[in-house]
Amino acid sequence: MSSCTRWHGPAMARLWGFCWLIVGFWRAALACPTSCKCSASRIWCSDPFPGIVAFPRLESTSADPENITEIYIANQKRLEIINEDDIEAYVGLKNLTIVDSGLKFVAHKAFLKNSNLQHINFTRNKLTVLSRKHFRHLDLSELILVGNPFTCSCDIMWIKTLQETKPSPETQDLYCLDENSKNISLANLQISHCGLPSANLAAPNLTVEEGKSITLTCSVAGDPVPNLYWDVGNLVSKHMNETSHTQGSLRITNISSDDSGKQISCVAENLVGEDEDSVNLTVHFAPTITFLESPTSDHHWCIPFTVKGNPKPALQWFYNGAILNESKYICTKIHVTNHTEYHGCLQLDNPTHMNNGDYKLVAKNEYGKDEKQISAHFMGWPGIDDGANPNYPDVIYEDYGTAANDIGDTTNRSNEIPSTDVADKTGREHLSVYAVVVIASVVGFCLLVMLFRLKLARHSKFGMKDFSWFGFGKVKSRQGVGPASVISNDDDSASPLHHISNGSNTPSSSEGGPDAVIIGMTKIPVIENPQYFGITNSQLKPDTWPRGSPKTA
């Protein structure tokens, strides 16, 4: 309760006064006309008192008319005219509404600078005539003219024609007043000697060589008699026109290749509407390579180029003076085509030092040719600093008599022409040589290891203490007794064994003791004799010792 009470009485009056003060400053900043309200993008004038007598304008320098997109005017009986300069400041204007007002006249060039206009509503005003010249340069989606006292004349027949050729979503019920002040539906209006004009150009298709001159002629007809004019757009070539009543001519001299593809129109216009006849200018000229640069790396290496020419030129690449036969690894790609201009690149997949060298592009058609050359460096040569410049091989790509590539064909021609990428082939040959060298080195090393092992095995009987890893069994020796005993695979070799059991093939853990040697599946006991090397072979009779008997000194 206390908070509500606090905003009653003098406090509330002060609050409202502060709000009106802010509104006053805001309106002053925009310099909004009396009887209107303004925002940053909209102006609306609907208060009939005192009303406005001229089209509203924002006069303050702090306001930007270019940001206004909508103007709404209603109940302004004293607003009668829209002058040529009333709306020109509102270049961003899209919607214009003037309803239930006293509008009688609109200047012919009133909307000349309002190219963004899309919706116009002139409902229930005082318009008696309205020319199509007001709107011919606009791309209107809606033009509402209901409730105006139009005079039945040829001047408003364009409105009937517009409704017949471009009906709006809701058909307007338009009327005009005849000489007896009788309302006549515009859809049923018939006026003699009031029809659409026609235009006819003498050259429907036009092809000319660069530097030549041509003359176009046009004839127009209609009632009322139409005016004839030429629409040449942004034609670069020098031109001049002559008109005489219903005939006209256009002279174009020293035609430029930049004008190829441009449209030239002859236009006939009268009160009812207009008609035009057009031709597309085709200029033939020799190719020109306007851009060629050193290769750049992206997903692939690319030598970028731009070529102009008409008819479309054929392209041929040369590498170090020899024809470069394209393949799936090296091929021409066209990325952008702009009528007679082609932007593309010579694409190379994973190029190496074998691809370094001079690349020349030749563009040719029936009117001439052009060529340019660049040096490309993709990778340094093995064993040479990257900044060095070794002599490139004279011929890397062989000439197979390949026909020149058409610039319009961006596909791979390797299926049509039997070409070989010699750089790739050379790389594969080098790889094969490296593989053979590595394999030979490994085999040689293995042979050396085997020879070394065999030599060690041969000498192991005469003093090597332990060569069991060569597969010769277990070697046992006593410290300070003499050379180690060795089990040999030779039948006639000396044996340190006093007894070899011919028992079971399956060795037993109880036989032989800790010094037993396992050969194959047989466990052989080893009995060492420290005086073995002092006894002759005839004294070694292993069968004279009973199994398990002690050794003799």
Side-chain angles (χ1 to χ4, degrees):
M1 286 294 291
S2 60
S3 62
C4 294
T5 305
R6 189 167 47 198
W7 288 103
H8 287 289
M12 181 61 72
R14 285 194 296 270
L15 177 63
W16 279 107
F18 180 71
C19 293
W20 280 110
L21 184 63
I22 293 177
V23 171
F25 280 121
W26 174 63
R27 289 191 58 184
L30 291 175
C32 194
T34 307
S35 300
C36 297
K37 298 178 182 179
C38 305
S39 71
S41 61
R42 188 170 184 255
I43 299 174
W44 60 99
C45 307
S46 58
D47 190 354
F49 302 103
I52 58 176
V53 296
F55 197 85
R57 295 186 182 185
L58 298 179
E59 299 178 356
S60 174
T61 57
S62 61
D64 191 356
E66 295 183 0
N67 295 330
I68 301 297
T69 59
E70 182 179 1
I71 297 177
Y72 178 86
I73 299 174
N75 306 314
Q76 303 300 317
K77 301 300 181 180
R78 296 193 296 167
L79 177 63
E80 297 182 351
I81 299 175
I82 299 179
N83 294 309
E84 290 184 359
D85 58 347
D86 283 344
I87 312 180
E88 65 179 7
Y90 304 109
V91 294
L93 186 64
K94 295 181 179 180
N95 303 324
L96 175 61
T97 300
I98 302 177
V99 297
D100 298 312
S101 298
L103 186 62
K104 295 181 179 180
F105 175 77
V106 180
H108 286 175
K109 297 182 180 180
F111 308 122
L112 187 62
K113 297 184 179 180
N114 306 104
S115 57
N116 293 313
L117 260 177
Q118 299 175 4
H119 304 273
I120 296 179
N121 186 353
F122 286 160
T123 300
R124 295 183 298 275
N125 282 283
K126 305 299 181 181
L127 294 170
T128 58
V129 65
L130 193 64
S131 173
R132 63 177 298 276
K133 292 182 179 180
H134 296 98
F135 316 104
R136 68 182 183 185
H137 68 287
L138 300 177
D139 186 19
L140 292 176
S141 58
E142 185 177 51
L143 177 61
I144 303 176
L145 301 172
V146 177
N148 286 281
F150 290 115
T151 300
C152 295
S153 66
C154 194
D155 292 335
I156 63 168
M157 285 296 289
W158 70 271
I159 302 175
K160 175 184 176 181
T161 303
L162 180 65
Q163 282 200 302
E164 292 173 349
T165 57
K166 188 180 180 180
S168 60
E170 296 182 3
T171 303
Q172 302 178 55
D173 191 11
L174 300 177
Y175 293 87
C176 64
L177 298 174
D178 63 5
E179 297 175 354
N180 301 320
S181 299
K182 180 181 178 180
N183 278 340
I184 298 177
S185 174
L186 197 61
N188 300 324
L189 182 62
Q190 297 293 333
I191 297 179
S192 59
H193 307 293
C194 186
L196 286 169
S198 63
N200 183 36
L201 260 176
N205 294 314
L206 191 60
T207 301
V208 64
E209 187 176 350
E210 182 181 24
K212 298 294 180 66
S213 301
I214 57 168
T215 301
L216 302 178
T217 59
C218 179
S219 60
V220 299
D223 193 3
V225 177
N227 295 321
L228 184 154
Y229 67 91
W230 295 91
D231 184 2
V232 297
N234 55 347
L235 194 68
V236 175
S237 305
K238 184 178 180 180
H239 57 278
M240 57 183 299
N241 66 80
E242 296 179 359
T243 58
S244 176
H245 300 293
T246 59
Q247 295 289 330
S249 64
L250 178 68
R251 177 73 174 171
I252 307 175
T253 58
N254 192 20
I255 294 178
S256 170
S257 60
D258 293 332
D259 289 328
S260 185
K262 292 182 180 178
Q263 181 174 282
I264 300 174
S265 301
C266 171
V267 182
E269 181 184 29
N270 65 9
L271 294 174
V272 182
E274 67 180 32
D275 184 38
E276 69 177 37
D277 194 9
S278 304
V279 294
N280 288 321
L281 185 61
T282 302
V283 182
H284 284 173
F285 57 97
T288 303
I289 302 173
T290 60
F291 178 80
L292 182 66
E293 279 200 351
S294 299
T296 58
S297 177
D298 194 3
H299 297 293
H300 306 278
W301 280 91
C302 168
I303 300 178
F305 65 85
T306 299
V307 177
K308 292 181 64 177
N310 193 29
K312 59 183 180 182
L315 295 183
Q316 179 66 67
W317 289 92
F318 289 82
Y319 174 76
N320 287 342
I323 292 178
L324 174 63
N325 295 296
E326 298 188 15
S327 67
K328 64 180 181 180
Y329 302 107
I330 302 179
C331 57
T332 302
K333 296 288 186 180
I334 303 299
H335 302 302
V336 178
T337 299
N338 183 15
H339 191 56
T340 61
E341 192 170 56
Y342 307 88
H343 305 270
C345 70
L346 178 66
Q347 179 177 297
L348 300 94
D349 290 353
N350 300 319
T352 67
H353 60 279
M354 301 300 298
N355 300 100
N356 296 344
D358 296 328
Y359 288 81
K360 181 172 67 176
L361 175 61
V362 177
K364 184 178 181 181
N365 66 11
E366 59 188 276
Y367 293 94
K369 73 173 184 177
D370 190 20
E371 61 182 49
K372 280 191 177 181
Q373 178 174 300
I374 56 99
S375 293
H377 181 78
F378 302 99
M379 184 183 297
W381 283 70
I384 301 177
D385 292 339
D386 192 56
N389 185 22
N391 294 325
Y392 300 118
D394 292 335
V395 177
I396 295 296
Y397 298 93
E398 298 178 1
D399 184 1
Y400 290 93
T402 305
N405 291 329
D406 195 315
I407 196 170
D409 184 7
T410 62
T411 60
N412 178 18
R413 290 176 170 264
S414 60
N415 294 330
E416 301 177 10
I417 302 171
S419 62
T420 304
D421 191 343
V422 179
D424 250 3
K425 182 178 179 181
T426 305
R428 290 194 294 270
E429 290 176 354
H430 285 187
L431 183 61
S432 301
V433 172
Y434 297 152
V436 170
V437 171
V438 170
I439 293 173
S441 300
V442 171
V443 171
F445 177 76
C446 292
L447 290 174
L448 289 175
V449 171
M450 291 177 65
L451 290 173
F452 179 71
R453 290 180 61 182
L454 289 174
K455 188 171 182 180
L456 288 179
R458 187 180 302 117
H459 290 283
S460 63
K461 302 174 185 179
F462 304 102
M464 299 300 291
K465 290 185 178 182
D466 190 355
F467 274 94
S468 60
W469 56 278
F470 277 107
F472 295 104
K474 182 177 180 182
V475 179
K476 189 73 174 179
S477 66
R478 288 177 183 263
Q479 183 176 5
V481 176
S485 302
V486 178
I487 298 176
S488 174
N489 290 331
D490 298 335
D491 293 339
D492 57 348
S493 63
S495 174
L497 302 180
H498 288 259
H499 179 76
I500 298 178
S501 176
N502 294 324
S504 173
N505 290 334
T506 304
S508 173
S509 62
S510 63
E511 296 177 349
D515 293 334
V517 177
I518 298 175
I519 300 179
M521 297 298 293
T522 306
K523 188 170 185 179
I524 303 173
V526 178
I527 301 173
E528 300 179 357
N529 186 353
Q531 297 182 359
Y532 166 73
F533 289 98
I535 302 173
T536 61
N537 292 339
S538 61
Q539 291 177 312
L540 295 175
K541 297 181 181 180
D543 56 344
T544 61
W545 292 328
R547 182 183 181 96
S549 61
K551 303 176 184 178
T552 60

